[in-house]
Amino acid sequence: MPTNITPSITIFLIFLGLFPFDSFPGLEAATGKLASVPGIYVFGDSLVDAGNNNYLAISISKANYPHNGVDFPGSIATGRFCNGKNAADAIAEKFDLPLPPPYLSLKGTFEEKARKAAVLTGVNFASGGAGIFNGSDQQLRQSIPLSYQVNNWLAIHKNLTSQLEPSEAQIHLSKSLFFVVIGSNDIFDYFGSFKLRQKTNPQQYTQSMADKLKEQLKRLHDTGARRFLVIGVAQIGCTPGERAKNSKHECDEEANMWGSLYNEALVKMLQQLKEELGSSMTYSYFDNFKSLHDIVTNPARYGFSDVKSACCGRGELNAQLPCLLVSNLCSDRTKYLFWDLYGHPTEAAARTIVDLMLSDDSQYSSPLTLTQLVSS
């Protein structure tokens, strides 16, 4: 997770899955009672990238090769850093929406029909390796930073408002879901930059992350976005790659502390933004840090048997090699929390986390659960 040019920095927000709704309290409320959502627009890093990086000519932060996609329909390596579908896909399916296609797949004259449909049901702007800050990507173009993702949204917004009457567009945008999953890469950029560490301390840096994210959320709000689902950074010291660095396979608590610092700043920023924007904004913050802690502490409760190793990799904890065609592949992906050494979740993990977002159990979500958000 140390640099901006590999999937390592795009780790984790861990998404969990395939666990019966009646296995723990509150999840039964997530079935059959969801309000209608006309579209879902996704912003973030490799946790929700659907293949945008496939279209970046020089990026090496890609997942368009096996064993990635082994459980995706047709066993296609779509560019998702996962064995199958990711959390953005799982949310779209919960609301009976098509999987949001990667924005860059919709460019060009031959894609006009697909673009016209996706504009209304949802588009995925996320990019593996992306951060809140532009970072080294401004020069290297290894990924699409958040500000550029919002720029791409402006192009889609223009298409949307040309298809709908002004009042229809306003209603559509106000009821759609804007899903934001980003932050881990910025933290690892700071870790890996002596220059950054000289210029600012951890508290100042994580606060600046939250401030910069606020700018981008306001840009989205200015275009009519009203419902935001924002995911906090998970325990970024507990990926297989981090555990494999020590003989006891323990988490890196310093890295976790940094994630916690950012989440504190993020929560306060969202509260302040809500105060500024009033009733024109509603949001759900999902505490991925706590969800990861709880799952790792009691994996059986969530249907997992391995929460330390990567499903796809080689060596100790399957964390000595990325997920490649020559890597070992676990036989039962539903039992693994992590897909690869970088901490990307398996499809099973993604689905369970989405279930937690929708649950009536509010210990992970504030001030609203996802179910409450879409009903607001």
Side-chain angles (χ1 to χ4, degrees):
M1 320 162 144
T3 80
N4 226 26
I5 63 172
T6 71
S8 55
I9 52 178
T10 63
I11 73 182
F12 47 157
L13 257 23
I14 216 156
F15 299 101
L16 314 172
L18 299 182
F19 196 66
F21 278 109
D22 58 359
S23 299
F24 48 96
L27 287 187
E28 65 277 358
T31 59
K33 301 178 183 178
L34 296 179
S36 175
V37 172
I40 174 171
Y41 303 94
V42 184
F43 304 82
D45 54 31
S46 60
L47 293 166
V48 287
D49 185 357
N52 276 305
N53 282 15
N54 297 351
Y55 299 87
L56 302 181
I58 65 171
S59 177
I60 60 173
S61 184
K62 297 181 180 180
N64 56 345
Y65 50 83
H67 294 292
N68 295 299
V70 64
D71 297 313
F72 196 85
S75 297
I76 300 170
T78 60
R80 290 167 171 82
F81 295 78
C82 186
N83 61 301
K85 297 173 183 177
N86 62 32
D89 301 321
I91 291 177
E93 289 182 338
K94 289 289 186 183
F95 293 102
D96 295 322
L97 291 170
L99 304 188
Y103 167 76
L104 293 181
S105 73
L106 302 173
K107 300 191 75 174
T109 55
F110 293 108
E111 305 301 332
E112 185 176 348
K113 184 176 180 181
R115 182 184 178 100
K116 192 171 182 179
V119 159
L120 299 178
T121 58
V123 177
N124 190 316
F125 302 91
S127 170
I132 297 169
F133 298 125
N134 290 353
S136 61
D137 290 310
Q138 196 164 12
Q139 291 79 37
L140 300 177
R141 295 290 185 251
Q142 293 289 337
S143 63
I144 308 167
L146 182 60
S147 62
Y148 287 60
Q149 293 180 32
V150 177
N151 291 345
N152 292 338
W153 156 250
L154 296 180
I156 290 295
H157 178 267
K158 184 177 180 180
N159 293 149
L160 188 151
T161 53
S162 69
Q163 288 188 46
L164 301 176
E165 294 294 328
S167 60
E168 293 176 328
Q170 181 181 8
I171 293 171
H172 178 91
L173 291 167
S174 69
K175 291 183 177 298
S176 292
L177 185 65
F178 289 76
F179 183 29
V180 182
V181 184
I182 203 161
S184 297
N185 295 335
D186 299 282
I187 294 174
F188 287 103
D189 276 354
Y190 184 83
F191 262 124
S193 172
F194 178 72
K195 185 178 179 180
L196 274 177
R197 294 197 309 274
Q198 277 193 318
K199 286 173 58 178
T200 181
N201 63 43
Q203 289 82 1
Q204 292 169 330
Y205 183 76
T206 51
Q207 182 60 54
S208 67
M209 285 172 60
D211 292 342
K212 190 67 175 178
L213 176 58
K214 182 180 181 181
E215 291 178 15
Q216 302 308 319
L217 294 179
K218 290 180 78 170
R219 290 180 68 197
L220 294 173
H221 179 269
D222 288 346
T223 66
R226 295 297 180 260
R227 292 173 172 171
F228 296 88
L229 172 61
V230 182
I231 312 301
V233 170
Q235 290 186 310
I236 55 178
C238 295
T239 58
E242 291 299 302
R243 287 183 183 272
K245 291 178 181 179
N246 64 82
S247 59
K248 293 184 178 180
H249 298 161
E250 294 176 343
C251 297
D252 181 341
E253 294 304 335
E254 182 181 4
N256 286 342
M257 178 195 71
W258 284 52
S260 183
L261 275 177
Y262 169 65
N263 288 339
E264 290 174 10
L266 175 59
V267 168
K268 291 178 182 177
M269 179 275 285
L270 289 170
Q271 292 170 344
Q272 292 167 356
L273 184 60
K274 171 64 177 173
E275 289 178 5
E276 292 174 20
L277 299 178
S279 60
S280 69
M281 172 202 177
T282 55
Y283 74 93
S284 175
Y285 165 78
F286 184 77
D287 188 346
N288 214 26
F289 195 96
K290 178 174 171 52
S291 71
L292 173 60
H293 173 270
D294 290 353
I295 290 157
V296 170
T297 301
N298 190 5
R301 184 186 182 207
Y302 300 88
F304 296 98
S305 58
D306 192 322
V307 294
K308 294 183 179 181
S309 305
C311 171
C312 184
R314 267 193 171 312
E316 194 170 4
L317 296 183
N318 250 7
Q320 305 300 318
L321 190 71
C323 183
L324 304 169
L325 185 59
V326 298
S327 300
N328 297 321
L329 179 65
C330 67
S331 58
D332 188 352
R333 270 81 71 185
T334 68
K335 298 300 181 184
Y336 278 72
L337 180 59
F338 296 106
W339 170 238
D340 56 19
L341 71 91
Y342 307 117
H344 297 107
T346 60
E347 178 176 339
R351 292 190 182 281
T352 297
I353 274 290
V354 169
D355 288 344
L356 291 173
M357 293 178 191
L358 290 164
S359 168
D360 279 349
D361 185 349
S362 61
Q363 64 174 312
Y364 303 114
S365 299
S366 63
L368 303 171
T369 67
L370 177 53
T371 302
Q372 293 167 337
L373 175 67
V374 300
S375 301
S376 62

